[in-house]
């Protein structure tokens, strides 16, 4: 009996799809529409201005700076975070020395403790993390410079967030610190599902840690790594980079715009300068960058699935 | 799925089904979208305005004594008590009227949607980090002209207009182009160089009047391990609080006016160069507290209050803001910026003082007269004294401090104003061109120079470039000194 089946399916799909259209698709369309107006965000009247906002954006140095920083965030952060997380979770789950009477495959000593320690930053709100580090980076009385003084490096007192050459890296380091634990747990879960016989076979064949990692763990974990990469990249383009930059470097986004990112620039244009239309224009650019990023990662990372 | 169309293959969906589905989707979503788009902006025409009341001697603005008045206050460094006290007086004067008072730190996120819908409150203290851009509000005709308030008799003396009871510069600051007055600045801020008289005394020094003396004091302090200066390194737009009036003192008012007017080469004036070089000297000789470029305003104020640095450029709110870190025997004082030497165009004592806490009445307010009446009440001597007493800051009302016991900082502020007399400067960049002043000139120009990463000549060139860009930018409204 096929008759009525589609009506049945459509009936069920209409409501969720409608909701999706209203709350997800429609705002996108609306902001694209606003990017062609001169809406200030402070008054209900505006006019269509065609591509003016886009021309302006292409000539806006701060936009290009923020785009460059956002791209750095999207490329470097996942690379560093995921590499670190892979290393940590490998050591926790597989990398241990064989102990008498223990299982053939195990993590380093105290690995369950490390797992908790790594995950700990994840329970803190990103705002708190950013504030804590802002204090730590304080060049006058912050923890880092005090430590440097404490070990006799009086001459080395960087300005950290006050130095345009360092500020962006300082901010990125905080994001790595606060997210790496999540991926350690994610990858640990992935590794737990890899059959131990594979490792045992590799051990018998005399494979060392590095070889085991690159020949067995990484290929079998590839799907998880790939989704982790997209997830981290989108975080780095969006909410998290906004929070750390806004809280830690305050003002316009670091000294001499050294940490301005696209989301921050959108926020400033919309909620400080009364240029909501221009803000949506930058938002559209951010949307395109994010989509491109996801597409590129999915495409580059495509490979055959392994069955085991 | 088969390639033939229309046929109902068991596993897939045919073209017709697809059309049917999308039609169903469209049926639901199109009307909803239309509904939503009406919400996002361009709201309804707003409610009707309250009818005007009868104008009497007691009610010169003709407030409707039964209409509701809504007042939204920025709940910042000054708190909300002073406004609540003033609201009580309003309620007493119009017992039949209901006052809806609320205080928030999020002015823009609370009020932006209401402006968009055309239903703003009747009186707003548009202040704080989430201040709505005044230039845009004025440019889009969202504010009411406050001239009726200024021409109304003052609350204390029916023979005096409100306009004549205000401190110099207040009315002009509320204007943008032409006669209408859009903003009533309620607080009165004294900007300058803040220091501890005690710390200076322990060096056997007086406040330096020329730059040579300034360098001498700093050298003496350095020998004792104290830095001469610190400033809010992450917000270097605090530096202008003492630097701009110095430029005005050295080169005359016109130099600052030209800068405000975004005139070509305004920053290339020799006075600007001389003052930039003077400040750069502080960095070069190591008189700026180490690490200052990485400190925010609270951190730098704390370091200064702990005696790590002598001087800090700031505004009169610093006394209230740093109250918990300033030691009891600190003997806080403010002074006008030191000049270069005897050839300066304006005398020592020339200071930057101007209005703060901008109050506005929206053009689409239902009860604009009520909003203005509330302001008239706040500008009375009693309310003004109440404000000064509670939050250690002056108000726009001229005088009104007699009989109050003033804190050291406030007292020195009053003294500095008296000494300045008519030599009060009021650079407008910070309320006319927020981004230019804060980010570009402040952070990317002055901040970089004071951190030693730009020479004065490079900083001036960069800043002139920013100013020229702003002058050409058609997306911002441009203003000129009248």
């Amino acid at each position: 009996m096929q008759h009525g089946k589609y009506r049945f399916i459509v009936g069920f799909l209409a409501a969720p799809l409608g909701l999706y259209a209203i709350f997800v698709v429609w705002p996108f369309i609306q902001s694209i529409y606003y990017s062609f107006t001169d809406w200030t965000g402070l008054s209900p009247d505006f006019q269509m201005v065609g591509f003016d906002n886009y021309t302006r954006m292409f000539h806006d140095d701060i936009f290009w700076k923020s785009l460059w920083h956002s791209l750095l965030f999207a490329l470097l952060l996942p690379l560093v975070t995921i590499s670190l997380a892979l290393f940590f979770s490998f050591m926790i789950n597989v990398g241990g020395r064989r102990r008498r009477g223990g299982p053939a495959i195990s993590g380093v000593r105290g690995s369950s403790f490390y797992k908790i320690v790594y995950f700990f930053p994840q329970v803190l709100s990103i705002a708190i993390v950013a504030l804590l580090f802002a204090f730590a980076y304080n060049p006058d009385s912050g923890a880092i410079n005090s430590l440097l003084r404490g070990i006799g490096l009086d001459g080395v007192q960087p300005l950290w967030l006050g130095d345009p050459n360092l500020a962006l890296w300082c901010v990125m380091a905080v994001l790595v610190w606060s997210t790496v634990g999540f991926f350690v747990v994610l990858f640990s879960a992935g590794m737990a599902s890899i059959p131990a016989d594979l490792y045992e076979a590799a051990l018998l064949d005399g494979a060392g840690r590095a070889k085991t990692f690159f020949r067995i763990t990484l290929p079998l974990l590839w799907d998880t790594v790939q989704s982790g990469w997209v997830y981290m990249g989108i975080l780095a383009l969006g909410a998290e980079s906004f929070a750390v930059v806004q809280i830690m470097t305050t003002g316009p986004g670091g000294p001499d715009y050294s940490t301005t990112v696209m989301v921050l620039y959108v926020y400033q244009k919309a909620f400080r300068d009364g240029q909501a239309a221009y803000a949506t224009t930058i938002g559209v650019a951010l949307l395109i960058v994010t989509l491109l990023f996801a597409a590129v990662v999915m495409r580059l990372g495509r490979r055959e699935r392994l069955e085991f | 799925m088969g390639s033939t169309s229309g046929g109902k293959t068991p596993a897939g969906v045919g073209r017709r089904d697809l059309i049917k589905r999308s039609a169903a989707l469209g049926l639901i979503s199109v009307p909803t979208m239309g509904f939503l788009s009406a919400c996002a902006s361009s709201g309804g025409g707003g409610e009707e305005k309250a009818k005007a009341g009868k104008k009497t001697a007691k009610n010169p603005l003709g407030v409707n004594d039964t209409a509701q008045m809504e007042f939204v206050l920025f709940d910042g460094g000054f708190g909300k008590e002073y406004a609540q006290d003033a609201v009580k007086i309003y309620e007493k004067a119009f017992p039949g009227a209901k006052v809806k008072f609320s205080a928030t730190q999020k002015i823009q996120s609370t009020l932006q949607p209401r402006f968009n819908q055309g239903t703003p409150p009747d009186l707003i203290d548009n202040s704080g980090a989430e201040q709505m851009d005044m230039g845009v509000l004025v440019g889009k005709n969202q504010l009411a002209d406050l001239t009726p308030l200024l021409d109304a008799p003052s609350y204390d003396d029916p023979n005096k207009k409100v306009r004549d009871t205000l401190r110099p510069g207040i009315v002009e600051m509320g204007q943008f182009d032409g006669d209408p007055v859009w903003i009533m600045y309620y607080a009165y801020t004294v900007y300058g160089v803040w220091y501890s008289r005690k710390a200076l005394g322990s060096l056997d020094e007086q406040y330096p009047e020329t730059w040579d003396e300034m360098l001498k004091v700093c050298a003496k302090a350095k020998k004792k391990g104290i830095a001469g200066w610190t400033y809010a390194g992450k917000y270097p737009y605090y530096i202008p609080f003492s630097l701009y009036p110095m430029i005005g003192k050295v080169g005359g008012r016109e130099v600052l006016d030209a800068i405000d007017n975004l005139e070509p080469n305004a920053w290339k004036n020799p006075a600007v160069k001389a003052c930039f070089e003077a400040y750069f000297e502080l960095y070069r000789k190591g008189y700026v507290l180490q690490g200052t470029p990485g400190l925010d305003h609270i951190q730098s104020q704390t370091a200064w209050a702990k005696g790590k640095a002598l001087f800090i450029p700031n505004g009169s709110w610093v006394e209230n803001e740093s109250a918990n870190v300033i030691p009891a025997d600190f003997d806080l004082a403010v002074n006008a910026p030191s000049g270069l030497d005897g050839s300066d165009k304006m005398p020592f004592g020339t200071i930057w003082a101007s209005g703060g806490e901008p109050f506005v009445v929206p053009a689409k307010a239902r009860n604009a007269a009520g909003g203005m009446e509330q302001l008239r009440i706040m500008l009375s001597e009693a309310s003004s004294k109440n404000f000064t007493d509670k939050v250690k800051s002056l108000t726009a009302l001229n005088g009104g401090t007699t009989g109050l016991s003033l804190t050291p900082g406030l007292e020195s502020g009053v003294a500095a104003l008296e000494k300045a007399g008519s030599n009060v400067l009021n650079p407008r960049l910070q309320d006319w061109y927020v981004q230019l002043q804060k980010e570009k000139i402040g952070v990317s120009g002055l901040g970089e120079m004071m951190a030693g990463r730009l020479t004065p000549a490079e900083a001036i060139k960069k800043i002139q470039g920013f100013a020229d860009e702003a002058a050409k930018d058609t997306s911002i409204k441009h203003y000129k000194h009248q």
Side-chain angles (χ1 to χ4, degrees), chain B residues 47 59 129 148 167 191 207 254 256 266 299 302 317 326 336 420 442 467:
Chain B
E47 297 153 70
N59 184 8
R167 289 187 189 273
Y191 301 93
Y207 181 84
E254 318 76 61
L256 290 180
Q299 290 162 343
T302 307
W317 62 79
I326 292 181

Side-chain angles (χ1 to χ4, degrees), chain A residues 2-3 5-6 9-10 13-14 17-18 21-22 26 30 34 38-46 56 61-62 134-135 138-141 157 159 161-164 248-252 254-257 265 267-275, chain B residues 8-10 12-13 17 21 24-25 28-29 32-33 36-37 40-43 108 112 115-116 118 130-133 136-137 140 142 234-235 289-295 299 303 308 364 434-435 439-440 443-444 448 453 462 469 473 475-476:
Chain A
Q2 288 288 323
H3 194 69
K5 178 178 152 194
Y6 295 114
I9 295 177
V10 166
L13 278 180
L17 276 180
I22 292 167
W26 181 240
Q30 215 176 19
Y34 281 129
D38 65 351
W39 187 38
T40 57
L42 287 170
S43 119
D45 36 277
F46 54 81
R56 183 177 160 207
D61 291 342
I62 305 169
F135 288 126
N138 177 341
D140 178 47
S141 56
Q157 294 282 302
L159 293 172
L161 296 169
D163 185 336
M248 291 175 63
T249 63
T250 49
D256 207 12
Y257 299 103
Y265 200 40
Y267 170 81
Q268 287 176 337
K269 283 290 153 196
F271 298 108
R272 185 197 58 194
D273 299 344
Q275 299 174 3
Chain B
K8 282 188 179 171
T9 47
V13 179
D17 298 296
R21 277 183 196 182
L25 249 183
I28 292 176
S29 41
T32 347
M33 284 179 180
L36 266 189
S37 70
S41 72
S42 64
Q108 177 140 14
Q112 188 164 358
F115 271 97
N116 268 322
E130 275 206 21
Q131 180 184 56
M132 293 177 286
D133 192 299
V136 175
L137 286 176
K140 291 278 172 182
Q142 295 295 310
K234 283 192 191 171
Y235 307 98
L289 178 69
Q290 183 164 20
T292 292
L295 304 180
Q299 290 162 343
K308 288 190 186 172
K364 290 185 181 157
V434 180
Q435 193 201 6
E439 280 183 21
K440 298 193 164 162
V443 181
S444 294
E448 292 297 286
R453 293 188 288 259
K462 202 170 172 190
E469 241 172 58
D473 190 343
S475 64
I476 48 181

Side-chain angles (χ1 to χ4, degrees), chain A residues 150-219:
Chain A
I151 56 173
L153 289 170
D154 285 40
V156 190
Q157 294 282 302
L159 293 172
W160 301 117
L161 296 169
D163 185 336
N165 297 319
L166 285 178
L168 191 67
W169 309 115
C170 293
V171 172
M172 281 194 185
V174 173
L175 273 188
V176 170
W177 183 85
S178 67
T179 41
V180 84
F182 172 78
F183 290 99
V184 169
V185 172
L186 181 74
F187 295 151
S188 292
M191 284 180 197
S193 69
I194 298 175
D197 345 355
L198 288 176
Y199 285 117
E200 280 164 9
L203 267 181
L204 284 179
D205 286 343
R209 275 180 187 158
K211 210 157 204 171
T212 324
F213 175 76
F214 284 109
R215 290 295 166 81
I216 298 182
T217 313
L218 193 56

Side-chain angles (χ1 to χ4, degrees), chain A residues 12-157:
Chain A
F12 265 96
L13 278 180
L17 276 180
L19 284 176
Y20 183 79
I22 292 167
F23 292 110
V24 180
V25 179
W26 181 240
F28 278 111
I29 299 173
Q30 215 176 19
S31 36
I32 293 171
Y33 165 70
Y34 281 129
S35 73
F36 293 102
T37 67
D38 65 351
W39 187 38
T40 57
L42 287 170
S43 119
D45 36 277
F46 54 81
Q47 280 156 6
M48 296 297 287
V49 292
F51 281 93
D52 280 10
N53 286 321
Y54 288 89
T55 346
R56 183 177 160 207
M57 185 171 77
F58 286 119
H59 293 102
D60 184 350
D61 291 342
I62 305 169
F63 165 74
W64 289 111
K65 257 190 180 172
S66 66
L67 176 68
W68 169 239
H69 294 150
S70 282
L71 287 178
L72 274 181
F73 265 89
L75 297 176
L76 283 182
L77 268 186
L79 186 72
V80 176
T81 317
I82 287 176
S83 311
L84 271 177
L86 274 173
F87 174 73
F88 289 146
S89 47
F90 183 74
M91 295 312 278
I92 286 176
N93 292 290
V94 186
R97 235 179 262 278
R98 171 130 201 218
R99 286 187 288 276
R100 199 180 293 266
I105 306 301
S106 67
V108 293
R109 219 174 272 274
S111 54
S112 51
F113 171 70
Y114 291 137
K115 219 185 267 186
I116 295 173
V117 171
Y118 287 141
F119 194 69
F120 197 67
Q122 199 65 32
V123 301
L124 291 176
S125 136
I126 186 75
I128 296 173
V129 171
L131 263 183
L132 282 178
F133 273 88
F135 288 126
Y137 281 128
N138 177 341
D140 178 47
S141 56
I144 301 178
N145 275 3
S146 302
L147 183 80
L148 286 176
R149 273 196 296 269
I151 56 173
L153 289 170
D154 285 40
V156 190
Q157 294 282 302

Side-chain angles (χ1 to χ4, degrees), chain B residues 230-248:
Chain B
T230 189
Y231 57 89
K234 283 192 191 171
Y235 307 98
Y237 45 85
Y238 277 52
I239 300 171
F241 296 159
S242 61
L243 176 62
Y244 285 0
M246 180 177 177
I247 293 173

